[in-house]
């Protein structure tokens, strides 16, 4: 619907504004992915949601499922050494394929990624800075960015006594902690995934740890702390120390919450992981991402380290729409504006169409967004009603007397004031102004 | 590629700027079309280029082939009475399906349409005004908009003695006149399509008629002219008289060429038809459209008259790219800019990364598009080389002595000048400026 599209455009504008401010380029990867097999290897269970094209002769194609895998393929295929890119585009998933009438689903994703070999944590910090700027600019409400590190998670499981082959299933149980209480997650670990109770309890001691990044880091790096002693987590903590310093330099540390319970589902993350959530609400994550150093190598055999974030843009649209509907209800019109029209050129009396068109053209030529009525002899209440309904702030008005005097009235609908101004000279094509 | 995407963004920005100036709304129709049969009825021969999705349970879907049919379906489905909308999106066609390895093809289309019952020729004139503004704003070179009317074409064939069932095949022969000389087209009419030679010759007398709209209209509406006497073409000529008046009021008549040889291929046009071409070049049409009053009714049974134009946006990209490459070659850098970055924050000496980040953040906070080097201790020639290669106009520079003095140098790379300015106070997070 047009009002929803108008909201999308505002969101897209703000988000791409941030990307461009950071010197990111835009690339467009194909909607078609070459083979289902390539995709299957990346998405695991979820690959049943992939759309295939019919075999009409030629390669078997699928529609893209996300923007990260096509980006990794792009980097691999073109031998890109380093790139900072954004991509806002539709992805396609067969939602609820178990239903008889498999519904189709298409929705926008919005990704920002930096690929390339760089000094530790520099791109990671910039990705987070970009995320902070976007969430600040969108003004969706108070938010926090939960942050963890894959190596911390793995070390913590190792320390607790989880065998390596159970790291991923246990991680996916931990991942549920934002929705379920510890008791439920603990039960899943012990009853479903066969963890001894004392091992689960040890995990429980770690995952409650969350706090201001530098404070929690201080605590975890105390010599006696098991995470400071484990070789993998020691590396991770050192990386985080570097990154927190960078974030502080960029004024982006404020919304970060260091949270040992964060365990993003996707397998391909190798370093920092993060997830932004609105505080107080119950809307779930509005952005998420992390470092994935091995994904490009799955296509080319040659690793290109990368880090990125995906904005949950459809959720952002929904929140903005709700905010705007609330605002609109509290105001007179009661609708969200569909257009950006600044002026309606209106007239009283018959035979004024060419004149409305000419005056409108003068406004267009000056870069003013303007409309004229299409009816041959439109009634003033209809024209005023249209302007109010559409939220158009100004009307340019004229009737016989204004034509004779060579003037137009400019009505400010918000202020309720009217001003008479001299009409601008001649038609654009040089025809007399009463053409 | 990033530089091509940058060009696309410029083109999209200019074009949507015009649409918004005219108060058009944006709608997003699904990429999936529900059944191949619905599409087949609209595209005739070309329907072999439609992409089908595999049958994975559920309805059989196809990918959209253009934006006009989905728009007509949208208007029909939602019972829209009137709408002025634009849509820029990808469409999908199986190019050269006869080849063993059927290549996939996806490309952008850019459509503007006005649907609804309005006084004669008002929306038609605004669509053409929009087209003129777009072509002026894009600065692709000198252009003309060839214009004709479906009823004029049919009347002219009727007068020449063509039987009604041969109107469409003969129109498609006439359509080739922009590429083939009259003799070739005449031969097709006589030899392939079985028209008597004297009938073809009569058509030949009509299709050479082209000229300034008001002048040719004057000639065709002389009482003795057969087109003035035929009831259908008399209606068409009266419509054109109205529209030319409107276009004159909007200063948009200049690029219009009234051309009786214009015969657009698609069957669904019912009124004015037009096609924009660049003069002198050989790039073919860069925009085309017309009135189609019966397409919505094919979905709902209830006609909603409509008129629109489709910009050949991929061709526009190609022309702009060629123009920019030529410009770039004539300048120092020799490349098209991929980003809009205004300043590179550069430094001399080690340990400056946090400071580069902090200064960059201050620029971002001021809305300035800026980048900082990712290397721990970047060399000045590398930083300068990067700025020049990327076409970044300014560098913000500092080393030990600037840090001590609390200043930065601002280097204008175009002018080759340097200025020393006081560094802005403290870090964004309140940390001391030597953080």
């Amino acid at each position: 619907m047009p009002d929803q599209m108008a909201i999308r455009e505002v969101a897209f504008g703000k988000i791409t504004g941030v990307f461009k401010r950071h010197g990111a380029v835009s690339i467009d990867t194909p909607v078609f992915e070459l083979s289902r097999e390539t995709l299957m290897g990346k998405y695991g269970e979820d690959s049943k949601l992939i759309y295939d094209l019919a075999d009409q002769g030629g390669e078997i194609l699928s529609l893209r499922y996300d923007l990260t895998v096509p980006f990794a393929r792009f980097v691999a295929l073109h031998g890109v050494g380093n790139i900072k890119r954004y991509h806002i585009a539709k992805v396609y998933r067969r939602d609820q394929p178990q239903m008889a009438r498999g519904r189709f689903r298409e929705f926008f994703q919005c990704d920002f990624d930096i690929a390339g070999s760089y000094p530790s944590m520099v791109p990671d910090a910039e990705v987070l800075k970009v995320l902070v700027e976007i969430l600040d600019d969108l003004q969706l409400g108070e938010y926090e960015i939960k942050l963890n590190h894959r190596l911390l998670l793995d070390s913590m499981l190792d320390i607790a006594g989880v065998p390596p082959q159970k790291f991923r299933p246990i991680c996916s149980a931990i991942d549920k902690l934002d929705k379920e209480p510890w008791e439920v997650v603990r039960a899943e670990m012990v009853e479903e995934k066969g963890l001894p109770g004392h091992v689960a309890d040890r995990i429980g001691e770690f995952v409650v740890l969350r706090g201001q990044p530098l404070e929690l880091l201080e605590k975890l790096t105390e010599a006696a702390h098991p995470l400071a002693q484990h070789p993998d987590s020691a590396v991770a903590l050192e990386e985080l120390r570097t990154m927190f310093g960078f974030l502080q330099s960029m004024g982006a540390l404020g919304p970060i919450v260091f949270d040992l319970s964060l365990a993003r589902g996707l397998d391909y993350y190798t370093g920092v992981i993060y997830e932004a959530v609105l505080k107080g609400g119950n809307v779930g994550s509005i952005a998420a991402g992390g470092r994935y150093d091995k994904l490009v190598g799955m296509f080319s055999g040659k690793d290109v380290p990368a880090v990125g974030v995906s904005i949950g843009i459809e959720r952002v649209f929904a929140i903005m729409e709700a905010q705007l509907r609330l605002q609109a209800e509290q105001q007179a019109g009661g609708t969200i504006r569909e257009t950006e029209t600044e002026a309606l050129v209106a007239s009283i009396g018959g035979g004024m169409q060419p004149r409305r068109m000419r005056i409108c053209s003068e406004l267009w030529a000056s870069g003013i967004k303007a409309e004229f009525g299409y009816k041959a002899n439109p009634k003033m209440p209809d024209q005023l009603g249209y302007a109010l309904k559409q939220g158009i702030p100004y009307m340019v008005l004229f009737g016989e007397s204004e034509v004779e005097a060579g003037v137009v009235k400019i009505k400010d609908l918000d202020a309720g004031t009217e001003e008479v101004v001299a009409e601008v000279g001649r038609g654009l094509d040089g025809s007399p102004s009463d053409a």
Side-chain angles (χ1 to χ4, degrees), chain A residues 220-256:
Chain A
L220 301 182
T221 50
E222 279 167 12
H225 200 283
L227 285 171
Q229 293 172 344
H230 191 285
D232 289 348
S233 49
V235 169
L237 291 169
E238 208 40 55
E239 287 189 1
L240 290 179
R241 185 189 303 282
T242 305
M243 191 177 72
F244 293 157
F246 290 155
L247 287 174
Q248 206 164 24
S249 294
M250 293 193 282
L253 194 59
I256 310 282

Side-chain angles (χ1 to χ4, degrees), chain A residues 26 126 155 258 268 271 293 315:
Chain A
S26 173
E126 188 169 16
S155 305
F258 187 6
Y268 54 61
D293 284 351
R315 211 163 269 182

